[in-house]
Amino acid sequence: MKYVITGALGHIGSSLIRELSIWKPDCKIIMIDNMSAQRYCSLFNLPKLANYKFIEADVGTINLSDIFKDSDAVFHLAAITNAAGSFARAKEIESNNFSCTQKVANACLDQKIPLVYLSSTSVYGTSKDTVDENCTQEELQPQSPYAETKLKEEKLIQELVERDLKAVILRFGTIFGTSPGMRFHTAVNKFCWQASIGEPLSVWKTAYHQLRPYLDLKDAIKAFKFILENSLFDGETYNVLTGNYSVKIITDIIKKTIPNIRIELVEARIMNQLSYEVLDFKFRQKGFLPEGDIERGIKETLALLNIHN
Ligand SMILES: NC(=O)c1ccc[n+]([C@@H]2O[C@H](COP(=O)([O-])OP(=O)(O)OC[C@H]3O[C@@H](n4cnc5c(N)ncnc54)[C@H](O)[C@@H]3O)[C@@H](O)[C@H]2O)c1
């Protein structure tokens, strides 16, 4: 078996490359990353179970046809992330992320290789209490250049599915939990970092009581396994999440380990006034059951950052 993972050294990829070796011992795992996120540590101490190959390259410019040849699936994770920071880098993000996805999806189509494409629940924005994959166009309201590009990439994948690309689009909630190449831009991890170093937790003014979808990294990896086991490359889009939580729920959990945290309410361009829950019935109806736990995820992250006293 052979699997290609783009953006393999990132937060999600650094966990996937390790778990794949357990599900598919002796498989070939081809990892591509341009090191723009500098996660060298993701390559440390890889398990001996699989045959790893690392290619330092930009997915948007490298010739993918030889690399993808005879692959059983491609996991396309390469992207410039950090939604909140994407306002200042809108053009760069659009050009990097869209061109990578275009290149990867076309190479998969040419070689008939199944593709797992990662989108994000940040494509939603609704005044209703709940939203799911069947929502109207008005409820697809990306709140950042990063999320706008995700929606554009989704449309591209859907067009290629019409031309027989085997693909699945996964709208992941914001990841929490630890990995060898983890990053700290996103809400839960950022708050754990700030609490650990004794800084105030910078909470967007509108966000304290708003519900938003989160995904335990363990559930994210379980979702990938589920897709492979069930060959769920049905061209559909699925929300994948562990639960919908408010910042208050998250900070209350952090307080159990670090009681004296301070909260600073800050302005952010990405915020909106809306609170809504994202529903994941469609993926659950396929048989997927999330088992993650926000409390465990936070405790593990704080334990990793055991620098507070
Ligand atoms: N982490 C989350 O909360 C979350 C939530 C929803 C969706 N996603 C999506 O999942 C995917 C992986 O996210 P992550 O959290 O692991 O991100 P990450 O930033 O930790 O990792 C992305 C990796 O892609 C690499 N990369 C970027 N541009 C590249 C290019 N042109 N060529 C080769 N490599 C390139 C980076 O060096 C980095 O190692 C992304 O598409 C992201 O948008 C993440």
Side-chain angles (χ1 to χ4, degrees):
M1 307 294 266
K2 173 178 168 184
Y3 299 96
V4 178
I5 296 119
T6 73
L9 304 200
H11 189 17
I12 299 173
S14 63
S15 183
L16 173 63
I17 56 179
R18 287 167 170 79
E19 294 296 324
L20 252 179
S21 76
I22 299 166
W23 314 331
K24 307 277 179 187
D26 297 327
C27 71
K28 274 192 188 163
I29 299 179
I30 314 293
M31 309 171 287
I32 313 175
D33 203 294
N34 66 356
M35 303 311 291
S36 56
Q38 298 272 312
R39 312 278 169 79
Y40 292 88
C41 50
S42 299
L43 288 175
F44 298 171
N45 302 315
L46 284 173
K48 305 258 180 285
L49 288 167
N51 300 303
Y52 290 99
K53 181 177 179 187
F54 176 61
I55 301 169
E56 181 175 351
D58 193 306
V59 174
T61 53
I62 192 181
N63 182 351
L64 294 172
S65 55
D66 283 348
I67 299 171
F68 280 16
K69 197 163 179 276
D70 300 328
S71 294
D72 293 279
V74 169
F75 295 84
H76 175 43
L77 314 185
I80 299 176
T81 51
N82 188 4
S86 70
F87 291 89
R89 304 173 71 189
K91 280 219 168 81
E92 187 192 351
I93 286 183
E94 150 103 34
S95 133
N96 182 75
N97 295 3
F98 187 78
S99 66
C100 285
T101 298
Q102 192 170 38
K103 194 89 188 291
V104 167
N106 277 303
C108 286
L109 178 65
D110 286 349
Q111 302 201 32
K112 301 195 179 346
I113 299 168
L115 169 66
V116 179
Y117 167 69
L118 278 207
S119 184
S120 159
T121 51
S122 61
V123 296
Y124 295 117
T126 178
S127 51
K128 294 195 185 145
D129 292 342
T130 59
V131 67
D132 67 14
E133 299 88 343
N134 298 322
C135 69
T136 62
Q137 279 303 316
E138 289 71 47
E139 291 170 278
L140 288 170
Q141 298 266 1
Q143 300 292 312
S144 66
Y146 161 82
E148 271 168 34
T149 306
K150 283 287 180 209
L151 205 52
K152 194 173 149 192
E153 291 168 55
E154 280 192 9
K155 285 188 184 134
L156 170 80
I157 304 283
Q158 282 152 1
E159 280 162 25
L160 296 183
V161 164
E162 295 295 308
R163 289 169 47 195
D164 272 350
L165 172 68
K166 281 179 74 184
V168 64
I169 297 173
L170 302 179
R171 286 181 183 157
F172 273 13
T174 301
I175 296 282
F176 64 85
T178 64
S179 75
M182 73 187 288
R183 66 187 169 97
F184 289 86
H185 303 130
T186 46
V188 175
N189 293 357
K190 186 183 76 174
F191 297 146
C192 288
W193 170 256
Q194 290 172 322
S196 294
I197 61 168
E199 290 287 316
L201 277 51
S202 48
V203 173
W204 301 337
K205 264 186 183 158
T206 54
Y208 196 55
H209 293 288
Q210 282 175 350
L211 289 170
R212 285 288 182 274
Y214 291 90
L215 176 62
D216 193 326
L217 184 54
K218 290 187 195 307
D219 280 336
I221 301 300
K222 193 179 162 195
F224 290 141
K225 189 171 184 228
F226 182 82
I227 299 287
L228 287 187
E229 282 174 353
N230 295 283
S231 288
L232 193 65
F233 297 98
D234 57 1
E236 292 288 326
T237 301
Y238 296 97
N239 295 333
V240 186
L241 52 133
T242 301
N244 291 280
Y245 314 114
S246 65
V247 171
K248 181 176 183 324
I249 292 173
I250 294 164
T251 53
D252 282 351
I253 296 171
I254 295 175
K255 271 185 199 161
K256 289 184 189 175
T257 305
I258 308 178
N260 57 346
I261 56 170
R262 287 169 296 138
I263 290 173
E264 184 177 73
L265 297 176
V266 297
E267 301 280 348
R269 283 180 70 183
I270 201 169
M271 39 187 203
N272 62 30
Q273 306 296 327
L274 310 168
S275 181
Y276 55 85
E277 289 186 67
V278 173
L279 304 180
D280 61 344
F281 293 137
K282 185 173 170 185
F283 201 39
R284 284 172 183 255
Q285 275 163 4
K286 288 286 167 187
F288 182 78
L289 191 63
E291 293 173 323
D293 177 351
I294 181 76
E295 188 143 353
R296 199 214 66 249
I298 288 174
K299 283 201 170 130
E300 282 180 7
T301 305
L302 291 174
L304 204 61
L305 294 168
N306 191 16
I307 44 180
H308 52 87
N309 49 42

